Amino acid sequence: MPSEKDAIALKQKGNKAVANHEWLNAVDYYTQAIEINDRDATFYCNRSQANIKLESYGYAVADASKAIEIDPDYVKAYYRRAVANTAILNSREALKDFKTAVKKDPGNKDAKLKLAECEKIVRHVEFLRAIEIGDPPSAFEGLDIDGIAVDANYDGAKLGEEMSQDFIDDMIQRFKNGKKLHRKYVYQIIAAVKKIVYDEPTMVEMEVPKGHQLTVCGDTHGQFFDLMELFRLNGFPTESHYYLFNGDFVDRGSWSTEIVLLLYAYKWLHPKAFFLNRGNHETDDMNRVYGFEGECKAKYTEKTFKLFSESFSALPLATLIGKKYFTLHGGLFSDDKTSLDDVRKLNRHQQRQPGQQGIMMEMLWTDPQPMPGRGPSKRGVGLQFGPDVTKRFCEANGLDAVIRSHEVRMEGYEVEHDGRCITVFSAPRYCDSTENKGAYINIGPDLKLDFHQFDAVPHPDIKPMAYAQNSLTSMM
């Protein structure tokens, strides 16, 4: 029989895995320790932290809650539950726990700081709710882009009425050198792409013609220099080399504006050969917490964020590749009756933000699980779906597989659910703290999937989340 000594040894292995940023291994070690002794609060609290790093915030809340149940005076557990709730925008619940942590440990300066920041978040959310109107005016209304003068000393390429490869090449070099585009060009790019994507269907349906190739990419999360490495290895977009970016272009990484402006520029240049799906981070609530709003304000203007926000709400939610691969950011649905036709009929323009329930939320937020059926979300938002759910959906809709992103995979991709559910993630060494590879999928006219992995490359010394509004996010 394993002993308490064995449980402590497993906890120490978990701690070592955390130190090495091996979050999945850490969860596994802590779980084994809990199986030996399920009354040690530290095992749950430590696993909560590893789950926070894995963005399994629902699991993190549950673990911290169990630690508090075992030891109601465990300040660190309140702290971690608060951080996890902050991550899933449950700021009121987080506020309660930060208050408890400070009450139980009045000398804890860090807890006091986080409490003050959380109070600011709650006040800001309440303010936004108070001024919210049902149908806000367009951010583009009254925007006179033509009337904005480009400074004579601007040293970049000039943008005319159409996007050009020369302008994109110059843009890439500017971004590599830490320079920005002129505000006029930023507005011009967003306005042009918003119009293009608004007119696309909620589910874009495309084929890969003979002599062409499609590359499907997962989350890039503001890791601009890693995106450059992907293009270096696989080739830049052209009229015959299609690309599909499957959401979460922004947030966390500190070059989110560079990534989304580049992707938008390619969309403008190749509107029928470059595709963009919306992710759960192309939403206002996430952008306020995870840095994109702050980055827009720091590098450009508050207006820039409002324009991006409106363009994000116009993005398609899915792409059907060759009638065989249903590609969307999150995953499948809470109801087996939901079909591709339901996605086709969804009017995404009536609802700018995904909300807490419904088809749009599920398309952006759900995750696969190994067990059959459906389960509560490990994130605390949405749900999880099993291999039987994926099989029924694919068979009912004549699909080979569902391609999705939304989650770190240590090898950059994973094929699960008997080959019917494929996750691709394109941000290697995610947030500079997870030792994962990045990946992308090449698909030719034969519709066979060709997986490629790549490693992170060096970037300037700017940390992830540099533009987030508060330091609560540094714990995530």
Side-chain angles (χ1 to χ4, degrees):
M1 285 286 291
S3 66
E4 178 64 21
K5 185 178 178 182
D6 295 320
I8 296 297
L10 286 163
K11 173 189 169 183
Q12 290 169 345
K13 285 184 177 180
N15 294 347
K16 185 176 180 181
V18 166
N20 292 330
H21 300 165
E22 297 169 355
W23 316 120
L24 283 170
N25 288 342
V27 167
D28 185 47
Y29 287 129
Y30 295 138
T31 301
Q32 291 180 57
I34 289 167
E35 287 169 355
I36 297 170
N37 178 9
D38 63 0
R39 300 304 299 169
D40 189 319
T42 65
F43 298 169
Y44 291 98
C45 192
N46 288 11
R47 191 171 70 175
S48 178
Q49 176 64 2
N51 275 317
I52 286 171
K53 292 297 187 181
L54 287 168
E55 299 184 20
S56 298
Y57 301 119
Y59 287 174
V61 168
D63 277 341
S65 297
K66 185 65 178 178
I68 291 166
E69 177 190 314
I70 295 168
D71 181 359
D73 293 320
Y74 197 174
V75 171
K76 190 177 285 187
Y78 288 101
Y79 188 88
R80 286 186 175 157
R81 188 167 69 178
V83 168
N85 269 316
T86 300
I88 52 177
L89 313 181
N90 288 341
S91 48
R92 284 186 169 279
E93 292 301 312
L95 185 61
K96 293 177 189 175
D97 280 337
F98 280 129
K99 284 181 176 177
T100 302
V102 170
K103 185 178 179 181
K104 290 182 177 294
D105 186 6
N108 189 323
K109 292 181 181 178
D110 195 44
K112 285 181 178 179
L113 174 64
K114 299 296 189 288
L115 171 59
E117 290 175 347
C118 194
E119 286 172 336
K120 285 182 190 174
I121 291 171
V122 170
R123 285 196 299 270
H124 185 56
V125 168
E126 288 175 349
F127 170 73
L128 292 173
R129 201 167 285 147
I131 64 172
E132 187 177 302
I133 54 178
D135 190 15
S138 169
F140 294 91
E141 192 174 300
L143 180 64
D144 180 15
I145 297 176
D146 291 338
I148 301 173
V150 177
D151 310 330
N153 61 354
Y154 181 71
D155 61 352
K158 305 298 189 287
L159 177 59
E161 294 185 2
E162 298 294 334
M163 181 55 64
S164 69
Q165 187 62 56
D166 286 345
F167 185 87
I168 290 177
D169 292 343
D170 181 75
M171 175 196 294
I172 289 171
Q173 199 56 50
R174 290 186 70 78
F175 290 165
K176 285 181 177 178
N177 293 335
K179 294 183 177 182
K180 297 179 290 186
L181 292 185
H182 193 277
R183 173 175 57 99
K184 175 175 181 171
Y185 300 150
V186 171
Y187 292 176
Q188 201 174 343
I189 291 167
I190 302 171
V193 173
K194 189 258 183 178
K195 185 176 186 307
I196 293 169
V197 298
Y198 187 95
D199 292 337
E200 291 181 327
T202 296
M203 182 175 72
V204 174
E205 302 186 42
M206 54 86 66
E207 303 287 338
V208 184
K210 186 177 180 181
H212 291 60
Q213 176 177 272
L214 168 69
T215 298
V216 180
C217 302
D219 304 32
T220 51
H221 275 302
Q223 297 185 194
F224 174 76
F225 293 89
D226 295 320
L227 175 60
M228 289 296 97
E229 175 70 358
L230 188 161
F231 284 148
R232 185 188 72 80
L233 293 169
N234 194 52
F236 286 82
T238 67
E239 284 294 313
S240 60
H241 188 168
Y242 297 176
Y243 270 86
L244 165 58
F245 283 83
N246 197 27
D248 282 13
F249 326 127
V250 303
D251 280 338
R252 294 193 178 275
S254 295
W255 291 271
S256 291
T257 54
E258 285 82 359
I259 279 194
V260 71
L261 283 168
L262 179 59
L263 297 185
Y264 272 23
Y266 274 124
K267 179 63 180 176
W268 189 3
L269 183 64
H270 304 298
K272 302 297 184 185
F274 195 89
F275 305 91
L276 299 169
N277 286 343
R278 188 180 190 179
N280 68 302
H281 276 269
E282 280 71 56
T283 57
D284 287 356
D285 286 348
M286 301 300 279
N287 294 159
R288 290 190 184 108
V289 172
Y290 290 96
F292 183 60
E293 181 182 37
E295 183 178 337
C296 286
K297 291 177 179 178
K299 293 181 179 177
Y300 296 103
T301 62
E302 184 175 1
K303 185 73 169 180
T304 301
F305 173 68
K306 290 180 177 178
L307 296 174
F308 269 127
S309 169
E310 193 166 329
S311 75
F312 289 165
S313 70
L315 289 168
L317 301 178
T319 302
L320 183 62
I321 302 168
K323 300 182 178 62
K324 291 298 182 185
Y325 299 108
F326 179 51
T327 309
L328 74 172
H329 182 71
L332 296 180
F333 309 97
S334 57
D335 187 344
D336 274 346
K337 294 177 183 175
T338 304
S339 68
L340 292 184
D341 276 341
D342 293 306
V343 177
R344 289 185 179 101
K345 294 172 187 173
L346 178 64
N347 185 348
R348 70 191 188 279
H349 302 312
Q350 287 183 335
Q351 181 185 349
R352 285 189 57 180
Q353 303 301 321
Q356 296 297 310
Q357 58 186 2
I359 290 178
M360 184 189 293
M361 181 278 290
E362 291 172 357
M363 293 177 73
L364 298 182
W365 275 100
T366 61
D367 296 295
Q369 65 180 23
M371 306 80 70
R374 294 176 173 87
S377 171
K378 62 187 176 184
R379 297 174 187 270
V381 182
L383 57 96
Q384 295 184 168
F385 58 95
D388 55 329
V389 175
T390 306
K391 179 181 179 182
R392 289 193 296 269
F393 182 83
C394 288
E395 289 179 349
N397 292 279
L399 300 169
D400 284 0
V402 173
I403 298 176
R404 41 90 62 182
S405 302
H406 195 38
E407 291 182 280
V408 178
R409 290 293 189 261
M410 295 309 293
E411 296 303 313
Y413 72 95
E414 185 174 2
V415 180
E416 51 194 321
H417 291 189
D418 300 315
R420 291 187 175 95
C421 182
I422 296 150
T423 299
V424 58
F425 192 84
S426 303
R429 200 163 190 270
Y430 178 46
C431 290
D432 289 352
S433 65
T434 302
E435 302 303 329
N436 62 292
K437 293 182 179 295
Y440 51 91
I441 308 170
N442 284 332
I443 305 174
D446 59 2
L447 297 183
K448 287 186 167 46
L449 304 183
D450 182 18
F451 296 93
H452 294 262
Q453 298 169 300
F454 68 106
D455 294 316
V457 294
H459 60 71
D461 188 20
I462 302 174
K463 290 182 168 47
M465 310 292 282
Y467 300 97
Q469 294 298 312
N470 61 83
S471 67
L472 289 178
T473 47
S474 66
M475 289 291 295
M476 298 170 194

